[in-house]
């Protein structure tokens, strides 16, 4: 059974930094491209970032480009999202996703049934 478990969310002030982690189990981690989505309160889910199977390629949504960094450690079956210069509009539930042998563009277009999703972790940024 595949599980994606996010951690690291919390409440912080604008301008701060936070690192999210997503621990994967029940799959061959190196076979999966990984990504992050978020859902702000009252809004649709939106793509945040994706990373290829080896970690050598990354892809970011326009809203986070230059502030967020996605990385992965295949030895630990974990993907990370380093978030810097946080803004109140970054407030959302952040979800980790996994898609088998996927392109990063396909991660961006991923539907809720297009791969595996974690349960999410809340990030709240106050002004």
């Amino acid at each position: 059974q595949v599980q994606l478990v996010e951690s690291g969310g919390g409440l912080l002030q604008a301008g701060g930094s936070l690192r999210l982690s997503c621990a994967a189990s029940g799959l061959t981690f190196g076979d999966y491209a990984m990504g992050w989505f978020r859902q702000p309160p009252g809004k649709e889910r939106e793509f945040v970032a994706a990373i290829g199977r080896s970690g050598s390629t990354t892809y970011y949504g326009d809203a986070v480009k230059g502030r967020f960094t996605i990385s992965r450690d295949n030895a630990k079956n974990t993907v990370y999202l380093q978030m810097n210069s946080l803004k109140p509009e970054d407030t959302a539930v952040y979800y980790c996703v996994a898609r088998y042998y996927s392109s990063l563009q396909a991660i961006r277009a991923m539907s809720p049934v297009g791969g595996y999703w974690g349960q999410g972790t809340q990030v709240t940024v106050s002004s």
Side-chain angles (χ1 to χ4, degrees), residues 32-35 49-53 55-59 70-72 79 104:
Y32 286 76
M34 303 295 294
I51 188 166
R53 292 179 292 118
S56 61
T57 56
T58 57
Y59 184 42
I70 189 171
S71 62
R72 64 189 292 162
V79 63
L104 303 188

Side-chain angles (χ1 to χ4, degrees), residues 14-99:
S17 298
L18 204 59
R19 188 176 82 156
L20 305 183
S21 300
C22 170
S25 61
L27 50 72
T28 303
F29 190 67
D31 289 346
Y32 286 76
M34 303 295 294
W36 291 91
F37 280 73
R38 67 186 183 185
Q39 187 165 18
K43 297 185 179 180
E44 301 273 323
R45 281 185 187 178
E46 62 179 0
F47 170 75
V48 174
I51 188 166
R53 292 179 292 118
S54 69
S56 61
T57 56
T58 57
Y59 184 42
Y60 294 94
D62 290 341
V64 307
K65 205 172 294 183
R67 299 187 297 123
F68 290 12
T69 302
I70 189 171
S71 62
R72 64 189 292 162
D73 185 338
N74 284 1
K76 295 183 178 180
N77 285 10
T78 301
V79 63
Y80 304 98
L81 185 68
Q82 177 67 43
M83 305 185 293
N84 297 330
S85 302
L86 282 160
K87 306 174 182 179
E89 51 264 43
D90 294 317
T91 294
V93 178
Y94 283 72
Y95 297 91
C96 173
V97 300
R99 187 178 170 99

